[in-house]
Amino acid sequence: MTPPLTYAAVAVFAPVAAALVLAVLYPLRKKGMPAAVLTIASSSAAFVSAVLLFIDRLQGAPPELATVPWIQSGSKVLADVGLRVDGASASMLVVVTLVALMVQVFSLGYMHDEEPPAFGRYFAYHALFLFSMNVLVIAPNLLQLFAGWELVGVTSYLLIGFYFKKPSAARAAVKAFWVTKFADMGLLFGLLVLYVASGSFGWDAHLEPATATLVTLLFFFAVVGKSAQFPLHVWLPDAMEGPTPVSALLHAATMVAAGVYLVVRANPLFEQSEFTRTVMLYLGAGTALFAALLALVQTDIKKVLAYSTCSQLGYMVSALGAGSMVGGFWHLTTHAFFKALLFLAAGSAIHAVHSNEIGDMGGLLKKMPLTGGAFIIGSLALAGFPGFSGFFSKDMVLEAVEHAGKVPFALLVATAFLTAFYMGRVVFVAFFGAPSARAAHAHEPPWSMRLPLVVLATLSVFGGAFTTPFAALQGEEVHFHLTGGAALASLFGFAGIGLAFFTYGRGPRHEAPGAVAFVERMSNSHAVNRFYEVLFHRVALVVSDALAWTDRYIVDGLINAVGYGALEAGRRARPLQTGLVPDYVLAAVIGVLGLAFWSASS
Amino acid sequence: MTLSSCLVLASALFSIGIYGLLTRRQAIAVLLSVELMANAANLVFASFGHFRGGPTGQTFALFAVALTVAEVAVGLALVILFYRSHGDTQVDLARELRQ
């Protein structure tokens, strides 16, 4: 194997080795700390090899491939599994392994109070997750990507339900699993159609226009589920029941980005369908605004970030719909850094005040300058403040969307305003103002939690510098230039921060503006969840009941009738068996005579 | 004496044996009826041997007689055991096959 492929293999197999060792050797897991050390060591190895791979790719070598045949039937091979090294997979691999490593280090401090066996289990899940994600990222075809996709779904279930003794966490895990699984059907059916139409699971097939639209729409359905787009976003806020570092890794930086990554990978297919891209453009922009509105009224700091993630994923989807693969992918990357930073900083604050409510925080910047500073940096990057990494990626997104349509562009600019406003709200309420009773004794966390904050904050500030090399890796030349649209969005961002300051930043809490109160009422009605409830009770349950009845009384009925018939026939035939030898002899004689007559007559 | 008269005699013996087998309730009588049927078969062997010539038929009959003796010994042993367990030799009592 060539060096790049070796790096990729290390990135994939180091985490799974750790996961397998931890799965088999229970004592390691029970002790807790050895499991953490092993997982972090494997993630470090994965991260270092990902960086080496990334540097190697920067020299512009052609993609490399190492595969083995999978599912052989006769002389035909269904698909290959293996490693594909190119610009997109190398970039994504760095993002995933870096954020995973930072989150795992952070977890050393954050999860310190867990029982040792739970601590060990947590890290074993993390190793498994990193493996799953890397399988997805490095996939040479869509079938392996699907396998990684499902593995990620399972590990997400395990991690959301980590506190499985808490009913709400267990329910959230099941909900996340169901909703994404429902959406995953799209990917599965899309793969089937693709295979029938093109005879392979590759993403470079040329399809009939109608088939291309069907396949990409089915894929996009899976993206809607995984990347929490309207109307399948309902699982993401609930998934915040998991430990905060898990939210940072899975539900901000990597797993939810898998949907966007799928589109990046299958871009040659998506380019063949104008219709699907239009759907993505509008749905993404709509989700961005919708989720931003909901983020306005959350009081749980993690829920704000969760809706914000939905909203930013909407940006990415919309950019992909506008045909800017690089824009969506670059926003994915910067978002991974600053949203992971925001979640970890929020985790640090939650760790200090033992509450998720922003009302229970307040004045934390003075008590925890590093955490507060990190959160503010993350918020500025998220709001697209000029100079921060989010500014550069948002600029690319907005430029692409501006050319694609005025309505989605307007939606995204409005979202930029709301983003700045709701992040300003959290910052002013939680980190400025008077400390609340809970926040009085808050103090900075241990170094293991501070280090990831510093690393991610650095990337969030200076990440924008990598815009040009990153785009070059994806095969496009991009030089940053400020467009009118992006400048407009930045102005709206400033206005959002300013409004947040006037509303929440001046001493004692002010009443929420009327518009916010309206959104609050809308949010409290839980319309989307209610809709699914009705759908579930009125449609799914009724259909299931009908099917259950058919199964019980018709399918099972037939089987039971056959069995009962045999029993009854036996009962009827029983008197024939008298047990008397002469009767049997008589029967034999009659039989012989019958045979004799039969043979004589024929 | 012709072959057919011998065969008619054998058939008659065989039919008497079957009749006895079906109607008799005493185990000894059933055994005797079985003997009659066996002897009818022997007779068929012997008469074919006689009218065809050659030793085969006679040899078979001789062997069959020897085997029948052994069979009767076993049959009588069964009857004695049956008597010991049921206190009688009525074959109607033997209904264990039904359970």
Side-chain angles (χ1 to χ4, degrees):
Chain A
M1 279 209 291
T2 55
L5 287 171
T6 314
Y7 299 147
V10 171
V12 173
F13 291 114
V16 78
L20 283 178
V21 166
L22 292 178
V24 175
L25 296 181
Y26 177 62
L28 275 185
R29 215 161 74 232
K30 199 173 81 179
K31 281 240 169 88
M33 201 37 101
V37 171
L38 186 63
T39 301
I40 290 176
S42 76
S43 304
S44 309
F47 171 60
V48 170
S49 46
V51 169
L52 290 173
L53 180 64
F54 186 75
I55 293 170
D56 177 85
R57 287 296 102 183
L58 280 177
Q59 277 133 34
E64 289 186 47
L65 201 63
T67 56
V68 287
W70 188 38
I71 312 188
Q72 219 155 353
S73 136
S75 59
K76 204 165 156 20
V77 176
L78 182 68
D80 289 333
V81 285
L83 311 165
R84 183 191 157 97
V85 171
D86 57 14
S89 62
S91 318
M92 189 72 183
L93 214 52
V94 172
V95 174
V96 169
T97 51
L98 173 64
V99 177
L101 182 62
M102 288 301 119
V103 164
Q104 286 164 8
V105 172
F106 185 87
S107 303
L108 277 179
Y110 189 83
M111 303 297 281
H112 193 258
D113 298 336
E114 293 295 321
E115 296 288 313
F119 192 72
R121 183 163 59 87
Y122 176 81
F123 278 96
Y125 289 164
H126 260 293
L128 190 62
F129 169 75
L130 188 56
F131 164 69
S132 315
M133 197 66 206
N134 286 351
V135 165
L136 188 160
V137 169
I138 210 77
N141 57 45
L142 292 170
L143 190 66
Q144 185 183 329
L145 193 145
F146 179 64
W149 183 279
E150 292 296 330
L151 277 171
V152 165
V154 173
T155 37
S156 163
Y157 167 80
L158 293 172
L159 283 167
I160 296 171
F162 180 72
Y163 300 121
F164 57 82
K165 286 179 185 154
K166 206 165 110 191
S168 59
R171 252 199 319 273
V174 172
K175 181 171 175 183
F177 195 68
W178 274 24
V179 173
T180 52
K181 184 60 59 180
F182 173 63
D184 289 353
M185 287 193 312
L187 186 49
L188 184 59
F189 286 127
L191 282 176
L192 292 177
V193 175
L194 177 68
Y195 189 76
V196 169
S198 74
S200 85
F201 291 108
W203 48 66
D204 41 13
H206 286 281
L207 303 172
E208 301 274 311
T211 319
T213 301
L214 177 64
V215 169
T216 48
L217 273 183
L218 284 168
F219 283 179
F220 181 56
F221 185 63
V223 174
V224 169
K226 204 65 142 192
S227 290
Q229 297 295 290
F230 180 83
L232 292 181
H233 64 280
V234 287
W235 65 272
L236 188 59
D238 288 23
M240 296 299 128
E241 288 289 345
T244 309
V246 168
S247 309
L249 177 59
L250 274 71
H251 308 123
T254 55
M255 173 193 156
V256 289
V260 176
Y261 184 72
L262 168 66
V263 183
V264 169
R265 280 272 82 149
N267 199 38
L269 291 175
F270 278 86
E271 272 176 353
Q272 294 172 43
S273 175
E274 182 74 37
F275 178 73
T276 308
R277 277 187 288 124
T278 311
V279 171
M280 287 168 66
L281 178 68
Y282 282 90
L283 195 75
T287 304
L289 185 68
F290 173 75
L293 280 173
L294 288 176
L296 282 183
V297 296
Q298 306 300 319
T299 55
D300 179 329
I301 188 166
K302 286 180 72 182
K303 292 249 162 109
V304 175
L305 295 177
Y307 280 114
S308 161
T309 303
C310 281
S311 169
Q312 296 302 311
L313 287 164
Y315 263 87
M316 298 170 208
V317 168
S318 168
L320 294 169
S324 170
M325 188 266 263
V326 178
F329 198 10
W330 182 228
H331 196 52
L332 183 166
T333 308
T334 59
H335 175 259
F337 295 139
F338 62 68
K339 191 49 75 60
L341 172 68
L342 282 170
F343 265 107
L344 293 186
S348 174
I350 291 168
H351 194 68
V353 300
H354 302 290
S355 165
N356 283 8
E357 296 295 317
I358 52 174
D360 289 337
M361 301 170 185
L364 280 182
L365 186 63
K366 273 193 206 114
K367 301 273 180 188
M368 311 167 75
L370 191 113
T371 302
F375 196 91
I376 291 168
I377 287 174
S379 304
L380 288 173
L382 172 59
F385 197 83
F388 287 78
S389 62
F391 173 69
F392 294 92
S393 56
K394 260 191 192 176
D395 178 67
M396 271 163 90
V397 171
L398 286 166
E399 189 189 348
V401 174
E402 190 180 7
H403 291 303
K406 292 291 166 231
V407 175
F409 177 70
L411 291 175
L412 290 190
V413 171
T415 308
F417 168 73
L418 288 174
T419 308
F421 180 66
Y422 66 68
M423 285 320 293
R425 167 173 172 259
V426 172
V427 168
F428 289 125
V429 172
F431 291 95
F432 290 93
S436 71
R438 278 168 177 270
H441 303 290
H443 55 84
E444 284 288 354
W447 68 267
S448 61
M449 290 165 75
R450 290 203 301 267
L451 173 72
L453 292 181
V454 172
V455 173
L456 289 171
T458 312
L459 281 167
S460 299
V461 177
F462 300 111
F466 296 107
T467 307
T468 306
F470 178 88
L473 260 186
Q474 319 310 328
E476 284 189 37
E477 201 168 321
V478 172
H479 292 290
F480 178 75
H481 56 278
L482 190 61
T483 56
L488 185 68
S490 292
L491 283 181
F492 271 93
F494 288 132
I497 296 174
L499 184 63
F501 175 73
F502 283 113
T503 315
Y504 299 103
R506 293 180 306 169
R509 295 293 138 68
H510 285 254
E511 280 295 300
V516 175
F518 173 72
V519 174
E520 199 158 8
R521 275 203 301 282
M522 296 300 288
S523 162
N524 288 339
S525 69
H526 296 290
V528 180
N529 275 319
R530 200 62 68 72
F531 169 73
Y532 285 122
E533 239 165 63
V534 170
L535 195 70
F536 182 72
H537 283 294
R538 293 282 153 77
V539 181
L541 274 188
V542 170
V543 172
S544 310
D545 280 345
L547 286 176
W549 187 89
T550 316
D551 186 56
R552 189 167 305 147
Y553 293 105
I554 297 190
V555 178
D556 283 7
L558 276 174
I559 308 281
N560 289 343
V562 169
Y564 184 77
L567 275 179
E568 190 54 34
R571 199 168 294 130
R572 293 275 165 81
R574 237 167 112 180
L576 289 176
Q577 298 276 21
T578 56
L580 291 175
V581 180
D583 290 348
Y584 298 146
V585 176
L586 183 62
V589 168
I590 291 170
V592 169
L593 284 178
L595 274 176
F597 279 119
W598 178 68
S599 61
S601 63
S602 64
Chain B
M1 201 167 66
T2 61
L3 177 60
S4 55
S5 59
C6 286
L7 290 183
V8 168
L9 177 62
S11 308
L13 268 177
F14 191 82
S15 303
I16 294 168
I18 284 191
Y19 177 76
L21 188 63
L22 292 178
T23 52
R24 293 289 155 169
R25 288 290 176 260
Q26 280 296 330
I28 302 285
V30 170
L31 212 53
L32 280 176
S33 308
V34 172
E35 280 308 299
L36 273 183
M37 290 157 70
N39 281 324
N42 282 343
L43 190 57
V44 173
F45 272 130
S47 35
F48 270 103
H50 178 75
F51 288 101
R52 286 275 179 88
T56 322
Q58 263 57 347
T59 319
F60 261 109
L62 214 56
F63 269 99
V65 168
L67 286 174
T68 314
V69 172
E71 179 230 308
V72 168
V74 174
L76 282 174
L78 284 175
V79 171
I80 290 167
L81 281 176
F82 188 78
Y83 181 77
R84 281 196 190 155
S85 60
H86 292 75
D88 201 346
T89 55
Q90 290 272 337
V91 287
D92 294 7
L93 294 173
R95 304 189 70 130
E96 286 87 349
L97 267 183
R98 202 174 180 207
Q99 281 139 27

